[in-house]
C-alpha cells in the first residue's frame, strides 16, 4: 500500500502550496526585479576611461581577465605605477580581483572619499525630494563610517543599492580564510548596524566570527571577509523565491575565492538566501574551499549534499525558532530552493545552533552556532557540537588543523 507521504495526491498538494506561497509573496511585497539605478554609474564611467588608457606604453588589461593574469600585470608595475593607477581609477582597482590586497584597500578609501563628497552635495540638493535627501544622508553616513579608522574595504561600488566587502585580519598572511555570505536585503545601507541588531548585519557577522575564531585557536592567523558584493533580493519577494540572483552572485563569489592570496583553506558561512548562492556556486568553487556551512537555509537548489558536486564538507544548522522552517522546501518550475539542508536525508553534517535567536541570531557571541562556525573556520573540528549526541557531524574528520 502506498504511504500518504509519497502519494501523488500529497505531491500535488505540496506543489499547490508552493505556488500559493509565491502568490502571497506577490500580493504582499510585489515584484522586486526592478531596481533603482543611476542612469550612468560612476564605475561605468571609470571602466570606459580605463579601457582607453595606457601605462608605460602598454594598454591596461581587460578587467574581465582571470585574476592570475591581472595579478601578473600588477607584478610588472613599479610601486609608484600601482599607486598611480589606484589613485586615478579607484572604482576599478578597488574592485579588481588579482590586484594586490593593500592596493585595493587604498583604492577603495579614495573611492569612498569621492562618494562621500558627491553624496554630501546630494543632501543639499533642493531638486531632490525630502525622501531623496534623506536617502542621500543615510548613504553619506555609511560612507563616513566605512572611512573611519583603518577599515580594510576589499570591494566598494556605490552604484544602485551598492555593494561592498570588508576584511578582518591579515588576508595576505592568513592560515585560514572565512567568507560570510549574507542573504536578502543586503546592500550598502544594511551592510552594518549598531545596537542589538549589530551581529545580524554582514559586518557584524564577520566581526563576531573573527573574534570567535581567534578565541577558538589563539595562535592561528585567520581572516574573515564580510562579503556583501552581490545583488541580493529585496525582501521576501519573487527574487527570493527564484535562483537568478543566486546564480549571478555565484559567479562573483567564485571570482573572489579564486583571487584570494595564498593557498590557505577557505570556509564559506552562508546565511539564509546566501546559502542558495553557495549551493549554486558549490560545483565550481576552487578546491581550496574546505567547508561550506549554512544557517537558516531555505535550500541550496539541490536534492542532497552529493548533488552539490563539491569536495568541501557541507555543514548545516537551524535554530528552533527560525521562521525559515515554515517555508516549503519545494522546487516547482524554478520556484523554491529544494530540499532542507538540516533534514538528515540531505546528507549535510548537522550541527547545533543552541542559543541562537530566530533567523538572524546565528552570529551572536555565546551561542553554540557561533562557536561551531568558529571551530569550522579554524579547522578545530573536534570542538564542533553536533545537533544530536551521536557525533555524526564529525565523522571521518581529524580534530587537528589540516595542512
Amino acid at each position: 500500500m502506498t504511504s500518504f507521504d509519497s502519494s501523488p495526491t500529497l505531491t500535488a498538494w505540496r506543489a499547490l502550496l508552493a505556488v500559493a506561497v509565491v502568490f502571497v509573496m506577490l500580493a504582499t511585497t510585489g515584484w522586486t526585479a526592478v531596481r533603482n539605478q543611476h542612469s550612468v554609474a560612476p564605475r561605468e564611467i571609470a571602466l570606459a576611461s580605463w579601457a582607453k588608457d595606457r601605462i608605460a606604453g602598454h594598454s591596461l588589461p581587460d578587467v574581465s581577465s582571470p585574476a592570475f593574469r591581472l595579478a601578473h600585470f600588477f607584478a610588472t608595475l613599479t610601486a609608484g605605477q600601482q599607486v598611480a593607477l589606484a589613485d586615478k581609477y579607484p572604482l576599478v582597482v578597488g574592485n579588481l580581483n588579482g590586484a594586490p590586497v593593500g592596493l585595493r584597500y587604498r583604492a577603495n578609501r579614495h573611492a569612498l572619499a569621492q562618494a562621500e563628497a558627491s553624496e554630501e552635495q546630494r543632501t543639499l540638493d533642493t531638486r531632490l525630494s525630502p525622501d531623496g535627501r534623506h536617502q542621500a544622508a543615510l548613504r553619506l553616513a555609511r560612507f563616513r563610517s566605512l572611512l573611519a579608522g583603518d577599515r580594510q574595504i576589499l570591494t566598494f561600488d556605490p552604484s544602485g543599492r551598492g555593494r561592498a566587502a570588508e576584511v578582518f585580519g591579515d588576508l595576505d598572511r592568513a592560515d585560514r580564510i572565512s567568507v560570510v555570505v549574507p542573504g536578502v536585503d543586503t546592500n550598502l545601507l544594511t551592510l552594518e548596524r549598531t545596537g542589538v541588531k549589530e551581529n545580524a548585519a554582514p559586518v557584524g557577522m564577520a566581526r563576531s566570527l573573527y573574534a570567535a575564531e581567534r578565541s577558538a585557536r589563539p595562535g592561528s592567523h585567520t581572516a574573515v571577509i564580510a562579503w556583501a558584493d552581490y545583488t541580493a533580493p529585496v525582501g521576501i519577494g519573487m527574487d527570493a523565491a527564484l535562483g537568478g540572483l543566486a546564480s549571478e552572485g555565484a559567479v562573483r563569489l567564485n571570482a573572489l575565492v579564486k583571487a584570494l592570496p595564498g593557498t590557505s583553506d577557505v570556509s564559506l558561512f552562508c546565511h539564509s538566501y546566501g546559502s542558495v548562492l553557495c549551493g549554486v556556486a558549490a560545483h565550481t568553487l576552487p578546491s581550496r574551499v574546505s567547508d561550506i556551512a549554512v544557517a537558516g537555509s531555505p535550500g541550496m537548489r539541490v536534492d542532497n549534499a552529493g548533488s552539490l558536486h563539491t569536495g568541501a564538507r557541507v555543514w548545516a544548522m537551524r535554530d528552533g525558532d527560525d521562521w525559515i522552517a515554515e517555508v516549503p522546501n519545494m522546487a516547482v518550475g524554478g520556484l523554491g530552493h529544494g530540499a532542507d539542508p538540516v533534514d538528515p536525508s540531505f546528507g549535510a553534517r548537522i550541527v547545533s545552533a543552541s542559543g541562537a535567536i530566530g533567523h538572524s541570531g546565528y552570529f551572536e557571541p555565546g551561542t553554540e552556532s557561533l562557536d561551531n562556525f568558529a571551530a569550522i573556520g579554524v579547522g578545530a573540528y573536534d570542538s564542533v557540537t553536533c545537533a544530536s549526541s551521536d557525533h555524526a557531524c564529525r565523522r571521518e574528520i581529524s580534530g587537528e588543523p589540516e595542512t
Side-chain angles (χ1 to χ4, degrees):
M1 182 174 180
T2 303
S3 71
F4 183 67
D5 284 346
S6 60
S7 69
T9 301
L10 183 57
T11 300
W13 274 110
R14 284 176 171 166
L16 287 173
L17 177 60
V19 173
V21 168
V22 170
F23 277 106
V24 169
M25 289 177 177
L26 285 174
T28 57
T29 65
W31 295 84
T32 60
V34 178
R35 298 175 182 84
N36 181 28
Q37 299 284 343
H38 296 295
S39 55
V40 181
R43 187 164 185 265
E44 293 176 359
I45 297 173
L47 287 169
S49 180
W50 171 280
K52 300 175 184 176
D53 207 349
R54 302 171 69 84
I55 190 166
H58 300 286
S59 299
L60 301 183
D62 186 336
V63 296
S64 63
S65 300
F68 73 89
R69 290 183 182 172
L70 293 171
H72 175 73
F73 164 75
F74 280 98
T76 65
L77 302 180
T78 66
Q81 289 171 333
Q82 290 184 5
V83 168
L85 280 181
D87 292 352
K88 185 176 182 180
Y89 296 107
L91 281 172
V92 179
V93 176
N95 295 283
L96 206 56
N97 288 319
V101 169
L103 192 67
R104 292 178 68 172
Y105 295 159
R106 177 190 177 96
N108 284 321
R109 289 195 67 82
H110 277 281
L112 277 161
Q114 292 175 0
E116 177 192 28
S118 175
E119 212 64 37
E120 186 171 26
Q121 291 299 314
R122 284 171 53 80
T123 64
L124 304 174
D125 191 343
T126 58
R127 294 171 298 178
L128 295 177
S129 68
D131 181 65
R133 290 196 297 275
H134 175 66
Q135 290 298 312
L138 292 177
R139 286 167 60 90
L140 176 60
R142 173 64 64 246
F143 299 154
R144 286 176 173 170
S145 174
L146 293 174
L147 279 167
D150 56 354
R151 298 179 68 169
Q152 300 177 139
I153 307 304
L154 185 65
T155 65
F156 170 71
D157 184 355
S159 306
R161 291 187 290 122
R163 296 194 293 252
E166 182 172 8
V167 176
F168 296 89
D170 189 335
L171 201 56
D172 283 317
R173 297 179 60 238
D175 300 321
R176 306 272 303 201
I177 298 173
S178 298
V179 182
V180 174
V181 183
V184 299
D185 289 327
T186 294
N187 55 61
L188 276 177
L189 292 185
T190 61
L191 181 67
E192 56 186 347
R193 298 179 185 177
T194 57
V196 295
K197 293 291 186 180
E198 176 182 356
N199 298 318
V203 166
M205 292 177 178
R207 183 186 290 116
S208 182
L209 179 59
Y210 179 60
E213 287 186 353
R214 296 186 72 186
S215 177
R217 198 179 289 282
S220 65
H221 297 286
T222 67
V224 180
I225 303 173
W227 189 75
D229 193 30
Y230 80 104
T231 301
V234 179
I236 311 300
M238 278 298 295
D239 278 343
L242 296 168
L245 293 181
S247 296
E248 294 172 7
V251 174
R252 300 183 67 84
L253 180 61
N254 266 296
L256 167 82
V257 176
K258 290 176 180 177
L260 290 174
T263 58
S264 55
D265 283 354
V266 176
S267 299
L268 306 181
F269 297 92
C270 318
H271 177 246
S272 194
Y273 189 84
S275 69
V276 182
L277 190 162
C278 289
V280 175
H283 72 285
T284 52
L285 288 168
S287 59
R288 69 186 295 188
V289 176
S290 59
D291 300 273
I292 301 173
V294 302
S297 174
M300 302 180 75
R301 299 194 75 80
V302 292
D303 293 330
N304 53 64
S307 297
L308 292 171
H309 300 296
T310 177
R313 287 171 286 269
V314 180
W315 310 79
M317 66 170 71
R318 186 172 67 217
D319 177 61
D321 294 328
D322 192 335
W323 59 261
I324 205 75
E326 305 302 320
V327 175
N329 290 106
M330 299 288 295
V332 180
L335 298 172
H337 305 304
D340 185 352
V342 298
D343 187 320
S345 65
F346 185 81
R349 301 170 186 272
I350 307 173
V351 298
S352 172
S354 179
I357 302 174
H359 188 60
S360 59
Y362 293 97
F363 291 83
E364 287 295 331
T367 61
E368 282 192 354
S369 54
L370 179 62
D371 290 345
N372 279 330
F373 278 167
I376 293 167
V378 299
Y381 302 112
D382 56 342
S383 298
V384 173
T385 302
C386 298
S388 59
S389 60
D390 60 5
H391 308 299
C393 76
R394 297 201 299 266
R395 64 190 182 275
E396 301 175 0
I397 306 179
S398 166
E400 295 302 316
E402 298 182 359
T403 57

